[in-house]
Amino acid sequence: MTGAGGQIAYSLLYSIGHGSVFGKDQPIILVLLNITPMMGVLDSVLMEPQGCALPLLKDVIATDKEEVAFKDLHVAILLGSMLRREANVKIFKSQGAVIVVGNPANTNCLTASRSAPSIPKQNFSCLTPLDHNQAKAQIALKLGVTANDVKNVIIWGNHSSTQYPDVNHVKVKLQGKEVGVYEALKDDNWLKGEFVTTVQQRGAAVIKARKLSSAMSAAKTICDHVRDIWFGTPEGEFVSMGVISDGNSRGVPDDVLYSFPVVIKNKTWKFVQEDGSYCKDTDRRKETAFEFLSSA
């Protein structure tokens, strides 16, 4: 995890060490990277997971050396928002999943992928599930249900104010029955107006209100994102992820980092087509990239 002394890492460490991401029986070795001037801050952050006596935390390695941090990883979470080209990710020693969080997330993710050509580009993704979750939450609040009762939101494009939240496939559970969101809300003007604007500007609104970024929601979404990759998406549901396009989906040119709806099974993601089906010819085989930490 890069940027490990920051706010998001502080919120994230507990969930990872407690089994919310990789399961309740998977031992974890955390490798935390920070820049040299921030190592004192990182030391203070480490006091928290150590004090929690987290049951799955086998070891924590804190370092300011990239050659230590990026060796033999299974999953890399890039939290830092100033990814340096040809500095961080090029020195992976084994293939793994790379999740980019720091903004501009799509651009940073593409830069990371191109700086690490030995890692399959399909192993890189960026955090548009944050926008996906925010869209679910807005619909849930409007209807007085929980976010778990809302599924199949789509975020198109960037993790930024230029994204577009699409509700055409959204289903909502109301009184034990799944219905389309337009039928559930009966408020097309809200869905096409205030809803879109709120989701697009949610991050900026949090920063304006707190004077800090949305660390809690970002950390929770990172957990969701990695868990979906690790265990797959629930049957009948898809999620939004910023991934590399292949030129065959929704008219997006080849090799663009773009948020699409995807389903994940056996640590493999597939694009979801306009009719809700899965595009079989765009299977993303991760091969050994997502092996469990069986030796941990």
Side-chain angles (χ1 to χ4, degrees), residues 135 138 160-161 163-167 188-202:
Q138 293 304 311
S160 75
S161 60
Q163 60 159 283
Y164 185 76
D166 177 356
V167 298
D188 292 10
N189 289 334
W190 182 82
L191 283 170
K192 295 175 181 178
E194 182 181 343
F195 165 75
V196 173
T197 303
T198 299
V199 175
Q200 289 175 336
Q201 298 178 359
R202 192 65 173 177

mmCIF file with all atom_site columns, all heavy atoms in Angstrom, residues 135 138 160-161 163-167 188-202:
data_model
loop_
_atom_site.group_PDB
_atom_site.id
_atom_site.type_symbol
_atom_site.label_atom_id
_atom_site.label_alt_id
_atom_site.label_comp_id
_atom_site.label_asym_id
_atom_site.label_entity_id
_atom_site.label_seq_id
_atom_site.pdbx_PDB_ins_code
_atom_site.Cartn_x
_atom_site.Cartn_y
_atom_site.Cartn_z
_atom_site.occupancy
_atom_site.B_iso_or_equiv
_atom_site.pdbx_formal_charge
_atom_site.auth_seq_id
_atom_site.auth_comp_id
_atom_site.auth_asym_id
_atom_site.auth_atom_id
_atom_site.pdbx_PDB_model_num
ATOM 1   N N   . ALA A 1 135 ? -23.654 6.512  -5.875  1.00 0.00 ? 135 ALA A N   1
ATOM 2   C CA  . ALA A 1 135 ? -24.914 6.514  -6.628  1.00 0.00 ? 135 ALA A CA  1
ATOM 3   C C   . ALA A 1 135 ? -25.946 5.611  -5.959  1.00 0.00 ? 135 ALA A C   1
ATOM 4   O O   . ALA A 1 135 ? -27.127 5.981  -5.820  1.00 0.00 ? 135 ALA A O   1
ATOM 5   C CB  . ALA A 1 135 ? -24.660 6.065  -8.064  1.00 0.00 ? 135 ALA A CB  1
ATOM 6   N N   . GLN A 1 138 ? -27.370 7.398  -2.879  1.00 0.00 ? 138 GLN A N   1
ATOM 7   C CA  . GLN A 1 138 ? -28.320 8.470  -3.153  1.00 0.00 ? 138 GLN A CA  1
ATOM 8   C C   . GLN A 1 138 ? -29.712 7.919  -3.456  1.00 0.00 ? 138 GLN A C   1
ATOM 9   O O   . GLN A 1 138 ? -30.726 8.456  -2.993  1.00 0.00 ? 138 GLN A O   1
ATOM 10  C CB  . GLN A 1 138 ? -27.822 9.326  -4.327  1.00 0.00 ? 138 GLN A CB  1
ATOM 11  C CG  . GLN A 1 138 ? -26.567 10.124 -4.036  1.00 0.00 ? 138 GLN A CG  1
ATOM 12  C CD  . GLN A 1 138 ? -26.713 11.025 -2.827  1.00 0.00 ? 138 GLN A CD  1
ATOM 13  O OE1 . GLN A 1 138 ? -27.682 11.773 -2.700  1.00 0.00 ? 138 GLN A OE1 1
ATOM 14  N NE2 . GLN A 1 138 ? -25.748 10.950 -1.923  1.00 0.00 ? 138 GLN A NE2 1
ATOM 15  N N   . SER A 1 160 ? -14.388 11.257 -11.698 1.00 0.00 ? 160 SER A N   1
ATOM 16  C CA  . SER A 1 160 ? -14.284 12.716 -11.610 1.00 0.00 ? 160 SER A CA  1
ATOM 17  C C   . SER A 1 160 ? -15.656 13.298 -11.911 1.00 0.00 ? 160 SER A C   1
ATOM 18  O O   . SER A 1 160 ? -16.629 12.567 -12.122 1.00 0.00 ? 160 SER A O   1
ATOM 19  C CB  . SER A 1 160 ? -13.259 13.261 -12.617 1.00 0.00 ? 160 SER A CB  1
ATOM 20  O OG  . SER A 1 160 ? -13.791 13.234 -13.931 1.00 0.00 ? 160 SER A OG  1
ATOM 21  N N   . SER A 1 161 ? -15.711 14.614 -11.999 1.00 0.00 ? 161 SER A N   1
ATOM 22  C CA  . SER A 1 161 ? -16.987 15.267 -12.279 1.00 0.00 ? 161 SER A CA  1
ATOM 23  C C   . SER A 1 161 ? -17.460 15.054 -13.708 1.00 0.00 ? 161 SER A C   1
ATOM 24  O O   . SER A 1 161 ? -18.594 15.410 -14.050 1.00 0.00 ? 161 SER A O   1
ATOM 25  C CB  . SER A 1 161 ? -16.869 16.772 -11.999 1.00 0.00 ? 161 SER A CB  1
ATOM 26  O OG  . SER A 1 161 ? -15.879 17.351 -12.823 1.00 0.00 ? 161 SER A OG  1
ATOM 27  N N   . GLN A 1 163 ? -17.734 12.038 -15.058 1.00 0.00 ? 163 GLN A N   1
ATOM 28  C CA  . GLN A 1 163 ? -18.364 10.721 -15.128 1.00 0.00 ? 163 GLN A CA  1
ATOM 29  C C   . GLN A 1 163 ? -19.849 10.860 -15.425 1.00 0.00 ? 163 GLN A C   1
ATOM 30  O O   . GLN A 1 163 ? -20.438 11.941 -15.284 1.00 0.00 ? 163 GLN A O   1
ATOM 31  C CB  . GLN A 1 163 ? -18.222 10.016 -13.790 1.00 0.00 ? 163 GLN A CB  1
ATOM 32  C CG  . GLN A 1 163 ? -18.884 10.837 -12.695 1.00 0.00 ? 163 GLN A CG  1
ATOM 33  C CD  . GLN A 1 163 ? -19.239 10.075 -11.472 1.00 0.00 ? 163 GLN A CD  1
ATOM 34  O OE1 . GLN A 1 163 ? -20.230 9.357  -11.477 1.00 0.00 ? 163 GLN A OE1 1
ATOM 35  N NE2 . GLN A 1 163 ? -18.448 10.240 -10.436 1.00 0.00 ? 163 GLN A NE2 1
ATOM 36  N N   . TYR A 1 164 ? -20.480 9.737  -15.782 1.00 0.00 ? 164 TYR A N   1
ATOM 37  C CA  . TYR A 1 164 ? -21.936 9.738  -15.913 1.00 0.00 ? 164 TYR A CA  1
ATOM 38  C C   . TYR A 1 164 ? -22.514 8.531  -15.177 1.00 0.00 ? 164 TYR A C   1
ATOM 39  O O   . TYR A 1 164 ? -22.217 7.383  -15.530 1.00 0.00 ? 164 TYR A O   1
ATOM 40  C CB  . TYR A 1 164 ? -22.381 9.707  -17.367 1.00 0.00 ? 164 TYR A CB  1
ATOM 41  C CG  . TYR A 1 164 ? -23.886 9.820  -17.472 1.00 0.00 ? 164 TYR A CG  1
ATOM 42  C CD1 . TYR A 1 164 ? -24.513 11.049 -17.294 1.00 0.00 ? 164 TYR A CD1 1
ATOM 43  C CD2 . TYR A 1 164 ? -24.678 8.694  -17.672 1.00 0.00 ? 164 TYR A CD2 1
ATOM 44  C CE1 . TYR A 1 164 ? -25.894 11.162 -17.334 1.00 0.00 ? 164 TYR A CE1 1
ATOM 45  C CE2 . TYR A 1 164 ? -26.058 8.804  -17.723 1.00 0.00 ? 164 TYR A CE2 1
ATOM 46  C CZ  . TYR A 1 164 ? -26.662 10.038 -17.546 1.00 0.00 ? 164 TYR A CZ  1
ATOM 47  O OH  . TYR A 1 164 ? -28.028 10.151 -17.585 1.00 0.00 ? 164 TYR A OH  1
ATOM 48  N N   . PRO A 1 165 ? -23.348 8.774  -14.158 1.00 0.00 ? 165 PRO A N   1
ATOM 49  C CA  . PRO A 1 165 ? -24.008 7.662  -13.461 1.00 0.00 ? 165 PRO A CA  1
ATOM 50  C C   . PRO A 1 165 ? -25.279 7.243  -14.206 1.00 0.00 ? 165 PRO A C   1
ATOM 51  O O   . PRO A 1 165 ? -26.187 8.050  -14.402 1.00 0.00 ? 165 PRO A O   1
ATOM 52  C CB  . PRO A 1 165 ? -24.330 8.257  -12.085 1.00 0.00 ? 165 PRO A CB  1
ATOM 53  C CG  . PRO A 1 165 ? -24.474 9.726  -12.322 1.00 0.00 ? 165 PRO A CG  1
ATOM 54  C CD  . PRO A 1 165 ? -23.597 10.068 -13.501 1.00 0.00 ? 165 PRO A CD  1
ATOM 55  N N   . ASP A 1 166 ? -25.326 5.990  -14.599 1.00 0.00 ? 166 ASP A N   1
ATOM 56  C CA  . ASP A 1 166 ? -26.394 5.448  -15.446 1.00 0.00 ? 166 ASP A CA  1
ATOM 57  C C   . ASP A 1 166 ? -27.266 4.521  -14.595 1.00 0.00 ? 166 ASP A C   1
ATOM 58  O O   . ASP A 1 166 ? -26.772 3.590  -13.960 1.00 0.00 ? 166 ASP A O   1
ATOM 59  C CB  . ASP A 1 166 ? -25.723 4.679  -16.590 1.00 0.00 ? 166 ASP A CB  1
ATOM 60  C CG  . ASP A 1 166 ? -26.695 3.990  -17.530 1.00 0.00 ? 166 ASP A CG  1
ATOM 61  O OD1 . ASP A 1 166 ? -27.912 4.019  -17.291 1.00 0.00 ? 166 ASP A OD1 1
ATOM 62  O OD2 . ASP A 1 166 ? -26.209 3.401  -18.523 1.00 0.00 ? 166 ASP A OD2 1
ATOM 63  N N   . VAL A 1 167 ? -28.590 4.758  -14.594 1.00 0.00 ? 167 VAL A N   1
ATOM 64  C CA  . VAL A 1 167 ? -29.496 3.963  -13.756 1.00 0.00 ? 167 VAL A CA  1
ATOM 65  C C   . VAL A 1 167 ? -30.416 3.063  -14.574 1.00 0.00 ? 167 VAL A C   1
ATOM 66  O O   . VAL A 1 167 ? -31.356 2.473  -14.036 1.00 0.00 ? 167 VAL A O   1
ATOM 67  C CB  . VAL A 1 167 ? -30.348 4.879  -12.853 1.00 0.00 ? 167 VAL A CB  1
ATOM 68  C CG1 . VAL A 1 167 ? -29.465 5.667  -11.911 1.00 0.00 ? 167 VAL A CG1 1
ATOM 69  C CG2 . VAL A 1 167 ? -31.242 5.813  -13.676 1.00 0.00 ? 167 VAL A CG2 1
ATOM 70  N N   . ASP A 1 188 ? -38.552 10.943 -12.611 1.00 0.00 ? 188 ASP A N   1
ATOM 71  C CA  . ASP A 1 188 ? -37.554 10.962 -13.676 1.00 0.00 ? 188 ASP A CA  1
ATOM 72  C C   . ASP A 1 188 ? -36.722 12.236 -13.634 1.00 0.00 ? 188 ASP A C   1
ATOM 73  O O   . ASP A 1 188 ? -35.523 12.206 -13.947 1.00 0.00 ? 188 ASP A O   1
ATOM 74  C CB  . ASP A 1 188 ? -38.216 10.840 -15.049 1.00 0.00 ? 188 ASP A CB  1
ATOM 75  C CG  . ASP A 1 188 ? -38.855 9.470  -15.266 1.00 0.00 ? 188 ASP A CG  1
ATOM 76  O OD1 . ASP A 1 188 ? -38.942 8.698  -14.287 1.00 0.00 ? 188 ASP A OD1 1
ATOM 77  O OD2 . ASP A 1 188 ? -39.255 9.183  -16.405 1.00 0.00 ? 188 ASP A OD2 1
ATOM 78  N N   . ASN A 1 189 ? -37.338 13.338 -13.268 1.00 0.00 ? 189 ASN A N   1
ATOM 79  C CA  . ASN A 1 189 ? -36.597 14.598 -13.239 1.00 0.00 ? 189 ASN A CA  1
ATOM 80  C C   . ASN A 1 189 ? -35.445 14.547 -12.235 1.00 0.00 ? 189 ASN A C   1
ATOM 81  O O   . ASN A 1 189 ? -34.348 15.044 -12.502 1.00 0.00 ? 189 ASN A O   1
ATOM 82  C CB  . ASN A 1 189 ? -37.541 15.753 -12.883 1.00 0.00 ? 189 ASN A CB  1
ATOM 83  C CG  . ASN A 1 189 ? -38.496 16.079 -14.010 1.00 0.00 ? 189 ASN A CG  1
ATOM 84  O OD1 . ASN A 1 189 ? -38.209 15.827 -15.180 1.00 0.00 ? 189 ASN A OD1 1
ATOM 85  N ND2 . ASN A 1 189 ? -39.652 16.632 -13.669 1.00 0.00 ? 189 ASN A ND2 1
ATOM 86  N N   . TRP A 1 190 ? -35.686 13.936 -11.084 1.00 0.00 ? 190 TRP A N   1
ATOM 87  C CA  . TRP A 1 190 ? -34.608 13.812 -10.087 1.00 0.00 ? 190 TRP A CA  1
ATOM 88  C C   . TRP A 1 190 ? -33.492 12.915 -10.602 1.00 0.00 ? 190 TRP A C   1
ATOM 89  O O   . TRP A 1 190 ? -32.309 13.237 -10.458 1.00 0.00 ? 190 TRP A O   1
ATOM 90  C CB  . TRP A 1 190 ? -35.177 13.252 -8.773  1.00 0.00 ? 190 TRP A CB  1
ATOM 91  C CG  . TRP A 1 190 ? -34.130 13.135 -7.694  1.00 0.00 ? 190 TRP A CG  1
ATOM 92  C CD1 . TRP A 1 190 ? -33.678 14.132 -6.879  1.00 0.00 ? 190 TRP A CD1 1
ATOM 93  C CD2 . TRP A 1 190 ? -33.406 11.956 -7.342  1.00 0.00 ? 190 TRP A CD2 1
ATOM 94  N NE1 . TRP A 1 190 ? -32.712 13.646 -6.027  1.00 0.00 ? 190 TRP A NE1 1
ATOM 95  C CE2 . TRP A 1 190 ? -32.528 12.315 -6.290  1.00 0.00 ? 190 TRP A CE2 1
ATOM 96  C CE3 . TRP A 1 190 ? -33.406 10.638 -7.787  1.00 0.00 ? 190 TRP A CE3 1
ATOM 97  C CZ2 . TRP A 1 190 ? -31.662 11.399 -5.680  1.00 0.00 ? 190 TRP A CZ2 1
ATOM 98  C CZ3 . TRP A 1 190 ? -32.549 9.715  -7.198  1.00 0.00 ? 190 TRP A CZ3 1
ATOM 99  C CH2 . TRP A 1 190 ? -31.691 10.099 -6.164  1.00 0.00 ? 190 TRP A CH2 1
ATOM 100 N N   . LEU A 1 191 ? -33.866 11.790 -11.207 1.00 0.00 ? 191 LEU A N   1
ATOM 101 C CA  . LEU A 1 191 ? -32.863 10.847 -11.699 1.00 0.00 ? 191 LEU A CA  1
ATOM 102 C C   . LEU A 1 191 ? -32.011 11.453 -12.813 1.00 0.00 ? 191 LEU A C   1
ATOM 103 O O   . LEU A 1 191 ? -30.826 11.128 -12.936 1.00 0.00 ? 191 LEU A O   1
ATOM 104 C CB  . LEU A 1 191 ? -33.545 9.575  -12.211 1.00 0.00 ? 191 LEU A CB  1
ATOM 105 C CG  . LEU A 1 191 ? -34.017 8.591  -11.138 1.00 0.00 ? 191 LEU A CG  1
ATOM 106 C CD1 . LEU A 1 191 ? -34.892 7.516  -11.758 1.00 0.00 ? 191 LEU A CD1 1
ATOM 107 C CD2 . LEU A 1 191 ? -32.826 7.965  -10.420 1.00 0.00 ? 191 LEU A CD2 1
ATOM 108 N N   . LYS A 1 192 ? -32.600 12.299 -13.616 1.00 0.00 ? 192 LYS A N   1
ATOM 109 C CA  . LYS A 1 192 ? -31.868 12.878 -14.749 1.00 0.00 ? 192 LYS A CA  1
ATOM 110 C C   . LYS A 1 192 ? -31.207 14.212 -14.407 1.00 0.00 ? 192 LYS A C   1
ATOM 111 O O   . LYS A 1 192 ? -30.426 14.729 -15.201 1.00 0.00 ? 192 LYS A O   1
ATOM 112 C CB  . LYS A 1 192 ? -32.812 13.067 -15.933 1.00 0.00 ? 192 LYS A CB  1
ATOM 113 C CG  . LYS A 1 192 ? -33.352 11.749 -16.479 1.00 0.00 ? 192 LYS A CG  1
ATOM 114 C CD  . LYS A 1 192 ? -34.387 11.977 -17.578 1.00 0.00 ? 192 LYS A CD  1
ATOM 115 C CE  . LYS A 1 192 ? -34.936 10.653 -18.100 1.00 0.00 ? 192 LYS A CE  1
ATOM 116 N NZ  . LYS A 1 192 ? -35.979 10.847 -19.141 1.00 0.00 ? 192 LYS A NZ  1
ATOM 117 N N   . GLY A 1 193 ? -31.509 14.743 -13.223 1.00 0.00 ? 193 GLY A N   1
ATOM 118 C CA  . GLY A 1 193 ? -30.978 16.053 -12.848 1.00 0.00 ? 193 GLY A CA  1
ATOM 119 C C   . GLY A 1 193 ? -30.172 16.036 -11.577 1.00 0.00 ? 193 GLY A C   1
ATOM 120 O O   . GLY A 1 193 ? -28.956 15.832 -11.589 1.00 0.00 ? 193 GLY A O   1
ATOM 121 N N   . GLU A 1 194 ? -30.833 16.240 -10.446 1.00 0.00 ? 194 GLU A N   1
ATOM 122 C CA  . GLU A 1 194 ? -30.139 16.374 -9.159  1.00 0.00 ? 194 GLU A CA  1
ATOM 123 C C   . GLU A 1 194 ? -29.309 15.150 -8.821  1.00 0.00 ? 194 GLU A C   1
ATOM 124 O O   . GLU A 1 194 ? -28.196 15.260 -8.286  1.00 0.00 ? 194 GLU A O   1
ATOM 125 C CB  . GLU A 1 194 ? -31.168 16.626 -8.058  1.00 0.00 ? 194 GLU A CB  1
ATOM 126 C CG  . GLU A 1 194 ? -30.548 16.836 -6.687  1.00 0.00 ? 194 GLU A CG  1
ATOM 127 C CD  . GLU A 1 194 ? -31.592 17.047 -5.615  1.00 0.00 ? 194 GLU A CD  1
ATOM 128 O OE1 . GLU A 1 194 ? -32.765 17.361 -5.951  1.00 0.00 ? 194 GLU A OE1 1
ATOM 129 O OE2 . GLU A 1 194 ? -31.248 16.888 -4.422  1.00 0.00 ? 194 GLU A OE2 1
ATOM 130 N N   . PHE A 1 195 ? -29.836 13.952 -9.116  1.00 0.00 ? 195 PHE A N   1
ATOM 131 C CA  . PHE A 1 195 ? -29.095 12.719 -8.836  1.00 0.00 ? 195 PHE A CA  1
ATOM 132 C C   . PHE A 1 195 ? -27.752 12.708 -9.547  1.00 0.00 ? 195 PHE A C   1
ATOM 133 O O   . PHE A 1 195 ? -26.696 12.447 -8.942  1.00 0.00 ? 195 PHE A O   1
ATOM 134 C CB  . PHE A 1 195 ? -29.925 11.504 -9.258  1.00 0.00 ? 195 PHE A CB  1
ATOM 135 C CG  . PHE A 1 195 ? -29.138 10.225 -9.357  1.00 0.00 ? 195 PHE A CG  1
ATOM 136 C CD1 . PHE A 1 195 ? -28.735 9.554  -8.218  1.00 0.00 ? 195 PHE A CD1 1
ATOM 137 C CD2 . PHE A 1 195 ? -28.787 9.710  -10.606 1.00 0.00 ? 195 PHE A CD2 1
ATOM 138 C CE1 . PHE A 1 195 ? -28.001 8.372  -8.317  1.00 0.00 ? 195 PHE A CE1 1
ATOM 139 C CE2 . PHE A 1 195 ? -28.063 8.533  -10.704 1.00 0.00 ? 195 PHE A CE2 1
ATOM 140 C CZ  . PHE A 1 195 ? -27.669 7.860  -9.561  1.00 0.00 ? 195 PHE A CZ  1
ATOM 141 N N   . VAL A 1 196 ? -27.739 12.997 -10.836 1.00 0.00 ? 196 VAL A N   1
ATOM 142 C CA  . VAL A 1 196 ? -26.502 12.989 -11.622 1.00 0.00 ? 196 VAL A CA  1
ATOM 143 C C   . VAL A 1 196 ? -25.510 14.007 -11.064 1.00 0.00 ? 196 VAL A C   1
ATOM 144 O O   . VAL A 1 196 ? -24.330 13.703 -10.846 1.00 0.00 ? 196 VAL A O   1
ATOM 145 C CB  . VAL A 1 196 ? -26.805 13.284 -13.109 1.00 0.00 ? 196 VAL A CB  1
ATOM 146 C CG1 . VAL A 1 196 ? -25.506 13.438 -13.901 1.00 0.00 ? 196 VAL A CG1 1
ATOM 147 C CG2 . VAL A 1 196 ? -27.665 12.180 -13.713 1.00 0.00 ? 196 VAL A CG2 1
ATOM 148 N N   . THR A 1 197 ? -25.992 15.219 -10.820 1.00 0.00 ? 197 THR A N   1
ATOM 149 C CA  . THR A 1 197 ? -25.121 16.280 -10.305 1.00 0.00 ? 197 THR A CA  1
ATOM 150 C C   . THR A 1 197 ? -24.546 15.932 -8.946  1.00 0.00 ? 197 THR A C   1
ATOM 151 O O   . THR A 1 197 ? -23.350 16.149 -8.675  1.00 0.00 ? 197 THR A O   1
ATOM 152 C CB  . THR A 1 197 ? -25.904 17.604 -10.202 1.00 0.00 ? 197 THR A CB  1
ATOM 153 O OG1 . THR A 1 197 ? -26.443 17.923 -11.478 1.00 0.00 ? 197 THR A OG1 1
ATOM 154 C CG2 . THR A 1 197 ? -24.994 18.729 -9.739  1.00 0.00 ? 197 THR A CG2 1
ATOM 155 N N   . THR A 1 198 ? -25.364 15.362 -8.070  1.00 0.00 ? 198 THR A N   1
ATOM 156 C CA  . THR A 1 198 ? -24.907 15.009 -6.725  1.00 0.00 ? 198 THR A CA  1
ATOM 157 C C   . THR A 1 198 ? -23.810 13.967 -6.768  1.00 0.00 ? 198 THR A C   1
ATOM 158 O O   . THR A 1 198 ? -22.790 14.081 -6.069  1.00 0.00 ? 198 THR A O   1
ATOM 159 C CB  . THR A 1 198 ? -26.087 14.491 -5.876  1.00 0.00 ? 198 THR A CB  1
ATOM 160 O OG1 . THR A 1 198 ? -27.072 15.516 -5.771  1.00 0.00 ? 198 THR A OG1 1
ATOM 161 C CG2 . THR A 1 198 ? -25.623 14.095 -4.480  1.00 0.00 ? 198 THR A CG2 1
ATOM 162 N N   . VAL A 1 199 ? -23.992 12.923 -7.580  1.00 0.00 ? 199 VAL A N   1
ATOM 163 C CA  . VAL A 1 199 ? -22.972 11.876 -7.679  1.00 0.00 ? 199 VAL A CA  1
ATOM 164 C C   . VAL A 1 199 ? -21.684 12.434 -8.273  1.00 0.00 ? 199 VAL A C   1
ATOM 165 O O   . VAL A 1 199 ? -20.584 12.157 -7.784  1.00 0.00 ? 199 VAL A O   1
ATOM 166 C CB  . VAL A 1 199 ? -23.493 10.687 -8.515  1.00 0.00 ? 199 VAL A CB  1
ATOM 167 C CG1 . VAL A 1 199 ? -22.385 9.658  -8.723  1.00 0.00 ? 199 VAL A CG1 1
ATOM 168 C CG2 . VAL A 1 199 ? -24.691 10.043 -7.833  1.00 0.00 ? 199 VAL A CG2 1
ATOM 169 N N   . GLN A 1 200 ? -21.806 13.236 -9.308  1.00 0.00 ? 200 GLN A N   1
ATOM 170 C CA  . GLN A 1 200 ? -20.622 13.801 -9.952  1.00 0.00 ? 200 GLN A CA  1
ATOM 171 C C   . GLN A 1 200 ? -19.818 14.698 -9.013  1.00 0.00 ? 200 GLN A C   1
ATOM 172 O O   . GLN A 1 200 ? -18.598 14.752 -9.080  1.00 0.00 ? 200 GLN A O   1
ATOM 173 C CB  . GLN A 1 200 ? -21.030 14.599 -11.190 1.00 0.00 ? 200 GLN A CB  1
ATOM 174 C CG  . GLN A 1 200 ? -21.508 13.750 -12.351 1.00 0.00 ? 200 GLN A CG  1
ATOM 175 C CD  . GLN A 1 200 ? -22.006 14.594 -13.508 1.00 0.00 ? 200 GLN A CD  1
ATOM 176 O OE1 . GLN A 1 200 ? -22.402 15.745 -13.330 1.00 0.00 ? 200 GLN A OE1 1
ATOM 177 N NE2 . GLN A 1 200 ? -21.984 14.026 -14.703 1.00 0.00 ? 200 GLN A NE2 1
ATOM 178 N N   . GLN A 1 201 ? -20.500 15.394 -8.127  1.00 0.00 ? 201 GLN A N   1
ATOM 179 C CA  . GLN A 1 201 ? -19.846 16.401 -7.292  1.00 0.00 ? 201 GLN A CA  1
ATOM 180 C C   . GLN A 1 201 ? -19.700 15.977 -5.831  1.00 0.00 ? 201 GLN A C   1
ATOM 181 O O   . GLN A 1 201 ? -19.330 16.788 -4.982  1.00 0.00 ? 201 GLN A O   1
ATOM 182 C CB  . GLN A 1 201 ? -20.631 17.711 -7.363  1.00 0.00 ? 201 GLN A CB  1
ATOM 183 C CG  . GLN A 1 201 ? -20.690 18.289 -8.770  1.00 0.00 ? 201 GLN A CG  1
ATOM 184 C CD  . GLN A 1 201 ? -21.503 19.568 -8.858  1.00 0.00 ? 201 GLN A CD  1
ATOM 185 O OE1 . GLN A 1 201 ? -22.063 20.042 -7.863  1.00 0.00 ? 201 GLN A OE1 1
ATOM 186 N NE2 . GLN A 1 201 ? -21.579 20.134 -10.050 1.00 0.00 ? 201 GLN A NE2 1
ATOM 187 N N   . ARG A 1 202 ? -19.969 14.702 -5.534  1.00 0.00 ? 202 ARG A N   1
ATOM 188 C CA  . ARG A 1 202 ? -19.964 14.259 -4.139  1.00 0.00 ? 202 ARG A CA  1
ATOM 189 C C   . ARG A 1 202 ? -18.587 14.417 -3.492  1.00 0.00 ? 202 ARG A C   1
ATOM 190 O O   . ARG A 1 202 ? -18.482 14.862 -2.344  1.00 0.00 ? 202 ARG A O   1
ATOM 191 C CB  . ARG A 1 202 ? -20.411 12.804 -4.059  1.00 0.00 ? 202 ARG A CB  1
ATOM 192 C CG  . ARG A 1 202 ? -20.712 12.334 -2.640  1.00 0.00 ? 202 ARG A CG  1
ATOM 193 C CD  . ARG A 1 202 ? -21.891 13.069 -2.067  1.00 0.00 ? 202 ARG A CD  1
ATOM 194 N NE  . ARG A 1 202 ? -22.313 12.529 -0.786  1.00 0.00 ? 202 ARG A NE  1
ATOM 195 C CZ  . ARG A 1 202 ? -23.274 13.036 -0.057  1.00 0.00 ? 202 ARG A CZ  1
ATOM 196 N NH1 . ARG A 1 202 ? -23.936 14.097 -0.490  1.00 0.00 ? 202 ARG A NH1 1
ATOM 197 N NH2 . ARG A 1 202 ? -23.606 12.507 1.108   1.00 0.00 ? 202 ARG A NH2 1
#
